[in-house]
Amino acid sequence: MSEETDEAIAIRVQQGQQEAFGELIRRYSAKLSRYARKFLFDTEDAQDVIQDVFIKAYENIQSFDASRRFSPWIYRIAHNEFVNALKKRQASRTVFAFDIDTLVPHLASTDTADSAALERDVRAAIENHLETIAPKYKEPLILYYLEDMDYKEISDILQIPVSTVGVRLARARRMLQEAAKNDKHLRDTNLL
Amino acid sequence: MNTKHTNGVGDDVMKAIREGHVHMRPRWHFLLLSALTLTGAILAFLTLLYIVSLGVFFLRDSGALFAPSFGARGWLTLLRSLPWLLIGFVVIFFVILEYLVKRYAFVYKKPLLLSVSGILCIVFIGGVAIARTPLHHTMLVSARHGFLPAPLSALYGHPLRQTSPDDMYHGQIVDVIQGGFVLVDEDTEDGHGTTTVLLTPRTRLPYGEDFTLGERVVVVGDEVATGTIQAFGVREIDEYPNQ
């Protein structure tokens, strides 16, 4: 028997079966916690934010359109909560100010089909150097490589054009490569 | 709310829900919010259309829109005649409209430059189309005769309507004289003062010099004596349809 879809469970919650929400929490708790840890780099803070994400999701579940996918909807809530958490933490700094990338049209990115080797390298670099990347580049990286979302889903979560997702991912990969190169150079220098 | 997690995030959240500390907002709340947003966006769009059409109407009515046919000096006259207060309102309502529609996929999926230029194009084309209808002219005449309520009639007077630059005159020709004509200057305080316009061989006349009585014209020129100007350029003001 096939498993009940997220959307079907969300409909049950909308109809008043509040216990069904526990199943949605069970399905998304680990995913969102990983997303939060990678994005916020603070396990304690991340747990609090995840709790707020689920509370917001429950409060606003009637706004969910069941003809669309549930996953981008809850990730959108998570994105908003993470950005708010970062803003609180970095009160004096601009976290997501106006972005020129969303202003001008970009050519459609052609690098979605990464080779297995490149993908492996990027995943390894994410593990080691993600903290060196600015939040606006970090988020598409996490969603694409760790949460296995496609460009369209990331575009819906971040509410930016699909072409901008491609541009940010390409730049983020370059930043990771640069960070990995600098790290290697540093290690080589220290060894000498 | 932010309950402390003891047995995992999920347990805490479910406990808070069961105990009634967290409430699901009703569906009507979101429907109302969407309806209000949509209504706000439509109102902002219609207001933008109205403001742009009013601005185009003012420029057309004063003749400033036709001044560029006199060359560089005419372009400068047009620039100095722009209704800056209305342009300020356009910017304000445009920001409001963008804010209200940015949550919709058809807007955020497109680069900002495309959505901004798309909305601007629609508003500008729509505004020009409305300006060509008798709407504003009828409203202006009604406002001048006191038939419009105060808030509406204020739209058709100063300060929304930019005062003409010092070297631009517009009005109806009431007399054709040797080497020029006399016009009723609509910019004078009572709107009935006359100005004598002298034409010279250097006067720019993009549509010729066959001026007839009753014709409305725009003149750019310099005052050579009180009530007399030497024209740099003269052309008729295209009248509105059904006028």
Side-chain angles (χ1 to χ4, degrees):
Chain A
M1 194 181 116
S2 62
E3 195 181 38
E4 188 178 21
T5 62
D6 296 343
E7 294 74 29
I9 298 171
I11 289 173
R12 285 205 285 126
V13 179
Q14 286 176 333
Q15 289 167 343
Q17 296 179 36
Q18 65 179 35
E19 288 304 317
F21 192 68
E23 175 58 19
L24 289 175
I25 294 178
R26 191 188 66 74
R27 289 185 184 188
Y28 281 92
S29 192
K31 287 181 193 173
L32 293 179
S33 293
R34 183 179 55 207
Y35 178 22
R37 279 198 305 276
K38 291 288 179 196
F39 197 53
L40 301 170
F41 293 110
D42 180 339
T43 311
E44 184 70 17
D45 197 14
Q47 287 301 305
D48 283 342
V49 178
I50 288 301
Q51 187 168 304
D52 289 340
V53 170
F54 284 123
I55 288 169
K56 285 266 163 62
Y58 183 78
E59 285 174 340
N60 297 296
I61 192 107
Q62 294 289 358
S63 72
F64 170 63
D65 176 2
S67 65
R68 306 178 77 169
R69 292 192 57 220
F70 181 76
S71 163
W73 182 80
I74 197 163
Y75 270 89
R76 174 70 194 164
I77 294 176
H79 160 81
N80 287 338
E81 289 301 309
F82 296 170
V83 170
N84 287 341
L86 278 182
K87 276 180 184 164
K88 271 185 210 158
R89 197 191 284 177
Q90 305 171 348
S92 58
R93 287 164 57 188
T94 312
V95 180
F96 283 91
F98 174 74
D99 184 4
I100 191 85
D101 289 344
T102 61
L103 180 67
V104 291
H106 300 283
L107 290 174
S109 182
T110 53
D111 58 359
T112 53
D114 295 330
S115 70
L118 175 62
E119 187 148 341
R120 202 170 47 242
D121 287 349
V122 174
R123 283 179 194 276
I126 287 174
E127 288 303 323
N128 299 319
H129 304 290
L130 192 62
E131 75 278 9
T132 62
I133 309 281
K136 76 170 181 180
Y137 295 114
K138 194 190 290 179
E139 211 173 4
L141 269 180
I142 298 169
L143 293 170
Y144 185 74
Y145 286 103
L146 303 183
E147 303 305 322
D148 292 323
M149 302 241 173
D150 61 27
Y151 279 29
K152 193 182 164 301
E153 286 172 322
I154 300 173
S155 152
D156 283 328
I157 292 165
L158 305 182
Q159 296 200 342
I160 56 174
V162 175
S163 57
T164 304
V165 174
V167 168
R168 285 192 188 173
L169 272 173
R171 284 187 192 153
R173 277 193 291 264
R174 273 202 298 277
M175 287 173 191
L176 279 178
Q177 283 166 349
E178 201 61 36
K181 207 190 296 175
N182 289 342
D183 193 39
K184 186 174 180 298
H185 178 72
L186 204 63
R187 274 188 279 121
D188 289 349
T189 313
N190 285 343
L191 281 174
L192 287 172
Chain B
M1 72 155 281
N2 198 1
T3 56
K4 278 286 146 200
H5 41 87
T6 49
N7 301 319
V9 171
D11 291 346
D12 288 345
V13 174
M14 288 310 293
K15 187 166 176 268
I17 291 171
R18 286 186 201 109
E19 290 176 357
H21 297 306
V22 179
H23 298 282
M24 191 189 293
R25 292 197 181 101
R27 193 163 189 79
W28 65 259
H29 170 90
F30 299 101
L31 291 176
L32 184 67
L33 210 62
S34 293
L36 286 176
T37 306
L38 194 65
T39 308
I42 291 170
L43 284 177
F45 179 73
L46 291 178
T47 308
L48 267 177
L49 272 183
Y50 194 84
I51 294 173
V52 170
S53 67
L54 191 62
V56 174
F57 169 78
F58 284 159
L59 289 175
R60 194 184 157 104
D61 190 56
S62 69
L65 199 61
F66 310 108
S69 58
F70 306 145
R73 184 171 169 180
W75 279 105
L76 198 64
T77 302
L78 173 63
L79 197 68
R80 284 154 62 206
S81 305
L82 289 177
W84 292 107
L85 198 57
L86 283 180
I87 291 171
F89 282 123
V90 167
V91 172
I92 291 169
F93 279 96
F94 190 80
V95 171
I96 292 172
L97 181 63
E98 267 290 326
Y99 177 78
L100 291 173
V101 297
K102 71 175 182 180
R103 65 169 67 189
Y104 296 107
F106 72 89
V107 175
Y108 70 70
K109 290 269 185 193
K110 305 256 184 312
L112 191 61
L113 200 65
L114 280 186
S115 66
V116 165
S117 40
I119 295 175
L120 275 181
C121 265
I122 294 170
V123 163
F124 187 74
I125 292 169
V128 169
I130 294 172
R132 293 185 66 83
T133 69
L135 172 75
H136 291 303
H137 180 74
T138 310
M139 298 280 266
L140 178 67
V141 172
S142 302
R144 280 181 180 160
H145 289 92
F147 296 147
L148 279 185
L152 264 180
S153 63
L155 284 175
Y156 290 87
H158 298 291
L160 287 182
R161 185 174 181 142
Q162 185 86 352
T163 312
S164 295
D166 291 341
D167 62 347
M168 192 184 95
Y169 308 82
H170 59 98
Q172 201 167 40
I173 296 176
V174 288
D175 193 12
V176 177
I177 56 171
Q178 182 69 31
F181 54 82
V182 179
L183 62 80
V184 176
D185 189 354
E186 293 168 2
D187 267 339
T188 53
E189 256 177 46
D190 59 359
H192 297 295
T194 56
T195 301
T196 303
V197 179
L198 302 176
L199 305 177
T200 71
R202 285 162 62 189
T203 301
R204 298 185 181 190
L205 304 162
Y207 289 90
E209 54 185 315
D210 294 330
F211 299 109
T212 52
L213 286 179
E215 198 170 30
R216 283 184 81 234
V217 292
V218 55
V219 181
V220 172
D222 304 306
E223 195 168 42
V224 289
T226 306
T228 305
I229 50 172
Q230 187 169 302
F232 171 79
V234 184
R235 68 155 281 181
E236 66 175 293
I237 295 173
D238 291 345
E239 296 298 348
Y240 309 97
N242 307 321
Q243 191 179 318

